[in-house]
């Protein structure tokens, strides 16, 4: 049943006079804020990091996908502003929460950012407000953590006085074809009125909105998307281990299988699983199911295999050197590419960090090159990206391709190196059956 609060808010959203606040201005929040601005909403971005706020208010962007020009234009037009002050929420009609959901050191979900954002919002919750959580999390979070805290605010009833929904972020940093604007957006509310009003809000700014019947469906859809990916990467990683035992070229096997025009989806093995989504989101799901006495075996097994891949890559490097009469200990190993995936500058959860750590533990003289990452400080070691790449390739006992950035001149590297362990098939057919090349 739609009441006057619902219809008044709906009118503001449809007329785009609703005042929008985006909580958290990272790789999800800033693009979302700009998309609302481009639709004509006035948006205040709130972030606790003053440097980010100053960058935005100065017309500059620190997010790969958002150009300075766009931020500058939106700030100068008065549509976009940023602040560290959460009291900006008091004037908000529509709030999107885009905060991190990492793992703790224990491997359990860290929901502290969601709780903190909700507790900052609660004092400003008022009649006629819609709140949407975007952070990837386990099914039930919006209802159990966000709704319970917002309902503690005196006398306001969800679905009647305020509206609450979940809408999973689908941002793939660096991607040009699918953006925040044109990627279909799932939205699920606590009540049908919550779904309707959140979908209407997002529908004013995004190309396609997909309403679903609950926050749990929306939360679970996101986890299916990324668990699907993690498990299939785990499958091809185990296939690489099997092919290694069988003496079969796994890359040729995958290329052959990928010729099937239906019923198959290509994934490729590698030295491990990086990033802030794929290795982490599925563990939110398995953690939740454990609390319900269910063991999500596919997730646990795939995670175990993916986590072991840096050690498998180490073994390939060790064997390749050994076959050339060189112990790993004391050998000069140049790691090529350390970002968690090609052509980006993001190091989060990168398997390169594990491979370098394992090489150092074995006594190898490890250096690295990555055009996007000038320096690394991790655990008890710090390294700088080497300067003269080809000189380092020439002197290395082994070049280990860990992240296959497209900017590398692979033919020149093949010509210059004495030994290459290619964990990403970066050399392609050049590397097949080449005496200097060992592939995963
Ligand atoms: N990886 C493999 N083999 C593969 C694919 C990926 O080893 O076949 C590794 C990558 O090297 C990387 C990790 O897995 O270390 C994650 O790679 P990713 O391609 O999944 O990239 P992400 O982590 O940036 O995933 C994001 C996700 N987007 C969102 O969560 C909104 C994911 O859902 C997208 O499918 C993915 O981008 C994408 O397709 O680019």
């Amino acid at each position: 049943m739609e009441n006057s609060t619902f219809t008044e808010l709906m009118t503001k959203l449809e007329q785009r006079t609703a005042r929008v606040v985006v909580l958290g201005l990272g790789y999800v929040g800033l693009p979302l804020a700009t998309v609302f601005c481009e639709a004509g909403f006035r948006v205040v971005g709130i972030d606790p990091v003053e440097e980010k706020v100053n960058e935005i208010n100065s017309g500059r962007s620190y997010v790969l996908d958002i150009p300075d020009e766009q931020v500058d234009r939106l700030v100068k037009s008065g549509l976009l502003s940023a602040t560290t002050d959460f009291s900006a929420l008091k004037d908000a009609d529509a709030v999107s929460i885009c905060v991190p959901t990492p793992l703790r050191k224990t491997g359990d979900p860290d929901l502290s950012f969601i709780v903190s954002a909700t507790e900052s919002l609660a004092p400003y919750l008022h009649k006629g407000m819609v709140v949407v959580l975007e952070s990837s999390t386990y099914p039930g979070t919006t209802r159990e953590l966000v709704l319970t805290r917002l309902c503690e605010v005196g006398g306001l009833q969800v679905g009647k006085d305020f509206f609450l929904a979940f809408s999973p972020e689908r941002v793939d940093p660096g991607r040009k074809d699918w953006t925040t604007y044109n990627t279909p957006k799932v939205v699920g509310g606590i009540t049908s009125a919550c779904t309707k009003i959140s979908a209407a809000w997002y529908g004013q700014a995004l190309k396609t909105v997909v309403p679903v019947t609950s926050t749990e469906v929306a939360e679970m859809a996101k986890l299916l998307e990324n668990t699907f990916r993690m498990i299939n990467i785990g499958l091809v990683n185990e296939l690489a281990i099997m092919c290694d035992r069988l003496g079969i070229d796994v890359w040729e096997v995958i290329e052959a299988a990928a010729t099937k025009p239906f019923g198959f989806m290509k994934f490729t093995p590698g030295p491990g699983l990086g990033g802030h989504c794929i290795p982490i989101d599925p563990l939110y799901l398995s953690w939740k199911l454990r609390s319900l006495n269910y063991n999500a075996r596919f997730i646990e097994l795939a995670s175990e295999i993916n986590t072991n891949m840096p050690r498998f890559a180490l073994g390939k490097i060790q064997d390749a050197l050994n076959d050339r009469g060189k112990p790993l200990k004391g050998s000069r190993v140049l790691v090529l590419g350390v970002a968690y995936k090609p052509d980006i500058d993001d190091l989060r959860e990168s398997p390169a960090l594990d491979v370098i750590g394992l090489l150092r533990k074995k006594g190898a003289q490890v250096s690295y090159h990555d055009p996007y990452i000038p320096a690394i400080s991790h655990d008890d070691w710090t390294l700088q990206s080497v300067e003269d790449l080809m000189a380092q390739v020439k002197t290395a006992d082994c070049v280990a391709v860990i992240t296959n950035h497209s900017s590398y001149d692979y033919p020149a590297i093949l010509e210059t190196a004495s030994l290459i362990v290619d964990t990403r098939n970066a050399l392609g057919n050049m590397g097949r059956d080449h005496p200097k090349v060992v592939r995963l």
Side-chain angles (χ1 to χ4, degrees), residues 244 251 270-271 309-324 328 332-337 355 359 393 396-404 410 413-414 417-427 431 434-440:
D244 186 57
W251 300 99
M309 292 312 283
R311 198 167 288 282
F312 183 69
L314 174 78
K316 299 295 273 189
I317 295 166
Q318 192 158 16
D319 291 350
L321 284 165
N322 187 57
D323 292 347
R324 289 156 181 81
L328 182 54
R332 288 156 304 188
V333 179
L334 173 66
V335 168
L336 225 45
V355 173
L359 286 166
V393 166
D397 297 304
C398 176
V399 173
V401 180
I402 299 298
T403 303
N404 46 326
Y410 290 108
I413 290 167
L414 179 57
S418 54
L419 168 64
I420 299 173
V421 173
D422 184 1
T423 71
R424 296 287 188 179
N425 193 27
L427 297 168
H434 192 292
K436 282 202 269 187
V437 179
V438 170
R439 303 204 293 187
L440 201 59

Side-chain angles (χ1 to χ4, degrees), residues 46-57:
I46 298 179
D47 197 288
V49 178
E50 196 159 358
E51 290 75 19
K52 289 183 181 177
V53 166
N54 295 339
E55 283 287 281
I56 290 169
N57 290 335

Side-chain angles (χ1 to χ4, degrees), residues 27-28 136 168-173 175 183 222 225-230 232-234 236-237 251 265-279 281 306 309 339-342 344 346 348-352 402-404 423-424:
Y27 78 92
V28 174
S136 305
E169 60 91 358
R170 283 177 164 172
V171 176
D172 182 19
R175 184 157 225 157
T183 303
K222 168 70 179 186
E225 289 163 22
N226 285 359
T227 301
F228 164 81
R229 200 164 171 79
M230 187 268 260
N232 279 285
I233 293 166
V236 284
N237 278 335
W251 300 99
M265 186 171 183
K266 179 182 172 183
F267 289 88
T268 53
L273 198 56
H276 40 281
C277 304
I278 305 307
D281 294 353
N306 291 328
M309 292 312 283
Y340 83 77
K341 71 177 183 179
I344 65 167
D346 197 331
R348 280 178 288 189
E349 307 293 324
S350 172
I402 299 298
T403 303
N404 46 326
T423 71
R424 296 287 188 179

